[in-house]
Amino acid sequence: MLTQALTLVATSSDPDAMHLTGPTRAAGRFCGAWGMMVAGIAGCSGNGAGLDVNGRPVEGGDAPLTAQFESIQRNVFTPVCTACHAGAAAPLGLRLEEGAAYAMLVNVPSVEVPQRARVAPGAPDASYLVHKLEGTAAVGSRMPLNGPPLDAQTIQVIRQWILEGAQPPVSVRSNKSRMPAPTLSALWPIPDARLVEAPKAILLAADAELDTTLLRAGTVRLTYGTSAESNPEPLDVTIEAPTLAPTTIAIKPLVAWRAGEYELRISGSAPLSLADLAARPIDGDGDGVAGGDYVLRFSLEHDE
Amino acid sequence: MRATVAIEPVSARIALVFVWLTLGAWTSVQAEPYFAVREGLACVACHVNPSGGGLRNTFGTTWGQTVLPAQRIEEEGLPMWTGALGDYLRIGGNLRSSATHADVPPAGGSDGDATSEFDLEELRLYLDLAVIPGRLAIYFDQRVAPGGSTNLETYVRYASPDQHWQLKAGQLYLPYGLRLEDDSAFIRQVTGIGFATPDQGVELGWESPQWSAQLAVTNGAAAGAETDEGKQASLTATYLQPSWRVGGSFNFNDSDAGERRMQGLFAGVRTGPVAWLAEADYIVDDGFAEGRRRLWVGLVEGNWSVRRGHNLKLTAEYFDPDTDVDEDEQNRFSAIWEYTPFQFLQLRLGARVYDGIPQNALQNRRLYFLALNGYF
């Protein structure tokens, strides 16, 4: 069809005559060629038979939008946002396709305004995602770019999901993820070590660069005594990680080491988990999938 | 091309530019490949950037003031604006604002909706600092509105003595396919290569009267943080003739999120007053939750120069989001009247019709818009 149309225009007219002396004929030829193309292409659009609203084969039918992540994924992120925000070429690295969106959003600093999280659980007004959808972001255009804005009701549902703590989808709650997850390993002390001398610090290594903004009290917990005991004592700690290539962590208690059992626990599960720069939660329990806490136990034989 | 503007007129120009920007009457004409097809020129003929888009050189700025508009408003006592502020510095800008009405039909259990809005889409400023004119330059493309300032391109550009070879390093737009101004076109949106998605890396280019080629190696993170060892390679090559051109593009993004390979062909031909563009791309993406998807996307565009200053642009696009799924294909048709009454100002009146699966309302929306575009 395209070839026919181009041939028609290219061979059946004097170009200059079209332009200068025969505007009516030229318009007829141009529109005729165009009409042929449109007719040919228009017949190619899908009729949607057997597909859901996202153009995927039906699996259980469409469900209305609710303040659950799965529902927002299915009704907003997938049909609207993944037109651009998908795959390796996703703008600003923000992937919103199923399986990646939650880890890319919750507690992850935005690229445009790094001091704001894309989604701050419990705080929709502080969440950059809401700013972008409502058109109040400090940087850049309202989303969806080049498309009509989301209606107020849809944005309100997203606000409600964030207000309710931005609960993860079932797949994340059950520690399932198809993406490879970073893992931690203890450099010193080694697991279950019995130390004669107090360590200068607990040193951990990661096989991916970590999001150091997540290294805080909510994700790192050192206790005097292990969780197997009835009442382990939480210890205040300092946490250090290099700014460049943050793949190591140094953790030190703010009090002197005492003889006894210690347990370091780093969260890899909701609601707040340590993650790498791609927002992939750590595979703390080493089962090959993201999620699960990393636990290091050791003991010290003498006081510092 | 060297600057010819004297010092005093430069000051006057800066003041004039400031006034225009303050009044908000400026918008953009940027990266319209049909201009190149119509004139039988390469992108580098009009743009500082050899791969097109952004700041215009002296020829491009002059062309935009003399050939493009219906008439030229002469400025008494002032030389023509070229963008050059002396031998070393060149500036330019684009500003785009629009009034848009969107009709979203009822579908999939949702009610229909209609919205109308005025929108300041973007104000972008360009600066090219030629520290060694003709050989070594630093280039900036900064989006300064709406909202805060965002850098789109910043790179160092080195040209060989014969100007055939160009090397760029920094943050840059990726070379791939037709560099359309419309980032919402399927061939831009689906490939993920547009003016909103620069990347950081290096680009090697070759320019000759018959050939234009660029190879870029970048992080593959679309200006986001690099998170893995994989890199993206993007290659495009165009064979140029006065009345037609044909080219091919290839892109490979090696990412932990899944490999993505794109390959496409594009062409342009001039038949009298009509400049035709066409592109088709085949994409294999391993980054989807269910695994690999194969996608097709294509565009055909006709630009009829009805008379000087008037262009009728008709576009038909095709998108198959998954070749393994039947009846999910989408189309988009656009009809846009572009009127450039005088230099630096263009009006666009247009409609876009989306034609997708009936259960998805957004895939069947209609957009009607009047855009005010300016450039300098």
Side-chain angles (χ1 to χ4, degrees):
Chain A
M1 192 70 74
L2 173 61
T3 305
Q4 292 173 339
L6 289 175
T7 303
L8 175 69
V9 172
T11 61
S12 65
S13 63
D14 175 349
D16 291 333
M18 279 178 69
H19 189 34
L20 299 175
T21 64
T24 304
R25 283 177 53 207
R29 289 194 183 106
F30 181 60
C31 294
W34 184 254
M36 292 170 66
M37 273 187 269
V38 169
I41 292 176
C44 299
S45 67
N47 62 24
L51 306 179
D52 65 14
V53 68
N54 296 317
R56 308 303 301 163
V58 171
E59 295 175 0
D62 295 326
L65 179 63
T66 65
Q68 306 296 318
F69 184 81
E70 292 90 337
S71 178
I72 295 170
Q73 177 74 60
R74 185 174 181 80
N75 290 285
V76 182
F77 293 153
T78 299
V80 180
C81 307
T82 60
C84 299
H85 285 281
L92 299 175
L94 174 56
R95 302 175 55 209
L96 292 176
E97 70 265 34
E98 188 177 351
Y102 186 85
M104 287 281 175
L105 288 172
V106 178
N107 288 314
V108 177
S110 76
V111 171
E112 291 182 335
V113 183
Q115 60 269 35
R116 287 212 179 275
R118 287 166 172 162
V119 168
D125 286 335
S127 297
Y128 199 63
L129 173 67
V130 173
H131 295 193
K132 293 297 284 187
L133 295 177
E134 293 182 341
T136 59
V139 176
S141 300
R142 184 177 189 172
M143 293 289 135
L145 191 63
N146 301 314
L150 298 183
D151 60 71
Q153 185 179 0
T154 299
I155 295 176
Q156 185 56 39
V157 170
I158 294 172
R159 281 179 156 274
Q160 185 183 345
W161 166 66
I162 296 172
L163 187 64
E164 293 172 353
Q167 296 300 314
V170 172
S171 59
V172 171
R173 288 198 290 266
S174 62
N175 289 348
K176 297 293 184 187
S177 170
R178 67 179 188 82
M179 302 175 72
T183 59
L184 300 177
S185 58
L187 299 177
W188 188 255
I190 61 174
D192 301 316
R194 298 185 64 82
L195 303 177
V196 177
E197 188 174 322
K200 300 293 184 189
I202 302 169
L203 299 177
L204 304 179
D207 59 3
E209 293 187 341
L210 299 171
D211 182 351
T212 54
T213 63
L214 298 173
L215 285 170
R216 53 195 185 198
T219 52
V220 179
R221 186 168 186 261
L222 179 66
T223 58
Y224 180 64
T226 68
S227 54
E229 300 170 10
S230 59
N231 194 19
E233 175 189 349
L235 301 175
D236 290 334
V237 296
T238 62
I239 307 168
E240 295 179 10
T243 304
L244 187 64
T247 57
T248 57
I249 312 169
I251 301 165
K252 291 187 288 188
L254 292 175
V255 298
W257 294 97
R258 288 172 282 165
E261 301 283 330
Y262 288 85
E263 180 178 287
L264 174 69
R265 182 175 292 269
I266 297 182
S267 175
S269 306
L272 187 60
S273 62
L274 180 60
D276 67 5
L277 289 176
R280 295 172 299 188
I282 60 169
D283 173 15
D285 50 12
D287 62 357
V289 294
D293 292 349
Y294 175 81
V295 180
L296 171 67
R297 297 188 181 93
F298 60 93
S299 62
L300 182 61
E301 294 189 352
H302 307 288
D303 289 346
E304 187 175 17
Chain B
M1 297 181 185
R2 292 299 186 88
T4 58
V5 182
I7 297 301
E8 287 189 3
V10 167
S11 302
R13 297 292 175 174
I14 293 173
L16 186 61
V17 167
F18 178 78
V19 169
W20 273 100
L21 292 178
T22 304
L23 295 174
W26 286 66
T27 50
S28 77
V29 171
Q30 61 183 44
E32 283 285 19
Y34 83 84
F35 290 158
V37 172
R38 179 168 290 161
E39 301 296 337
L41 298 171
C43 300
V44 72
C46 287
H47 291 275
V48 168
N49 183 348
S51 46
L55 183 62
R56 286 154 289 271
N57 57 25
T58 299
F59 178 86
T61 306
T62 306
W63 185 89
Q65 298 174 70
T66 54
V67 179
L68 181 62
Q71 63 174 332
R72 172 173 165 75
I73 299 176
E74 296 297 337
E75 302 161 79
E76 295 294 332
L78 291 174
M80 182 177 288
W81 168 257
T82 64
L85 306 179
D87 287 342
Y88 298 98
L89 191 63
R90 178 180 294 279
I91 65 169
N94 285 332
L95 192 148
R96 171 170 304 164
S97 60
S98 64
T100 303
H101 176 80
D103 268 336
V104 181
S110 66
D111 297 331
D113 193 16
T115 57
S116 298
E117 66 172 342
F118 292 105
D119 188 21
L120 170 59
E121 296 177 11
E122 66 175 4
L123 168 58
R124 285 165 57 186
L125 298 178
Y126 314 121
L127 185 149
D128 192 69
L129 177 61
V131 290
I132 305 175
R135 297 296 303 279
L136 185 66
I138 302 171
Y139 180 81
F140 300 92
D141 177 347
Q142 193 79 12
R143 188 177 190 271
V144 297
S149 180
T150 308
N151 182 250
L152 295 174
E153 283 195 302
T154 296
Y155 58 75
V156 174
R157 184 180 69 253
Y158 171 79
S160 63
D162 59 8
Q163 301 291 309
H164 283 316
W165 293 97
Q166 305 267 351
L167 181 64
K168 297 193 289 188
Q171 178 161 297
L172 39 91
Y173 299 131
L174 293 175
Y176 187 91
L178 295 171
R179 187 163 283 185
L180 293 182
E181 166 274 330
D182 178 18
D183 267 351
S184 67
F186 286 156
I187 60 167
R188 305 290 286 176
Q189 190 176 63
V190 176
T191 59
I193 294 178
F195 291 109
T197 53
D199 206 359
Q200 295 177 8
V202 296
E203 179 184 302
L204 180 65
W206 166 263
E207 296 292 331
S208 73
Q210 283 79 42
W211 285 96
S212 174
Q214 295 87 33
L215 169 65
V217 178
T218 62
N219 285 335
E226 174 62 304
T227 58
D228 54 44
E229 287 291 310
K231 291 290 172 281
Q232 176 174 226
S234 197
L235 170 68
T236 191
T238 310
Y239 180 67
L240 301 154
Q241 288 296 300
S243 61
W244 60 273
R245 67 195 57 203
V246 62
S249 297
F250 177 77
N251 177 284
F252 176 68
N253 194 349
D254 179 15
S255 164
D256 284 354
E259 292 180 355
R260 181 177 171 94
R261 289 174 297 282
M262 304 191 292
Q263 43 268 304
L265 296 173
F266 58 90
V269 62
R270 185 183 70 225
T271 57
V274 182
W276 300 90
L277 300 173
E279 179 175 328
D281 301 289
Y282 178 62
I283 303 168
V284 180
D285 193 327
D286 294 334
F288 288 93
E290 73 278 12
R292 174 172 294 183
R293 276 194 207 175
R294 298 172 179 82
L295 308 87
W296 275 104
V297 63
L299 169 140
V300 179
E301 178 180 299
N303 290 275
W304 177 29
S305 177
V306 179
R307 59 193 173 97
R308 184 174 166 180
H310 296 261
N311 180 68
L312 175 61
K313 181 194 296 288
L314 300 178
T315 305
E317 299 169 65
Y318 172 78
F319 174 34
D320 181 354
D322 190 341
T323 58
D324 292 333
V325 175
D326 293 331
E327 302 301 340
D328 63 342
E329 297 83 1
Q330 303 171 38
N331 296 143
R332 191 179 83 145
F333 303 101
S334 305
I336 302 167
W337 189 273
E338 297 175 338
Y339 172 47
T340 310
F342 47 85
Q343 67 266 37
F344 304 134
L345 183 70
Q346 185 182 71
L347 300 170
R348 291 181 173 186
L349 177 65
R352 298 193 195 282
V353 177
Y354 289 76
D355 179 21
I357 60 175
Q359 51 268 55
N360 187 311
L362 285 174
Q363 288 184 20
N364 294 279
R365 66 187 186 270
R366 308 275 190 273
L367 298 178
Y368 309 96
F369 59 90
L370 175 62
L372 183 66
N373 302 325
Y375 55 96
F376 70 94

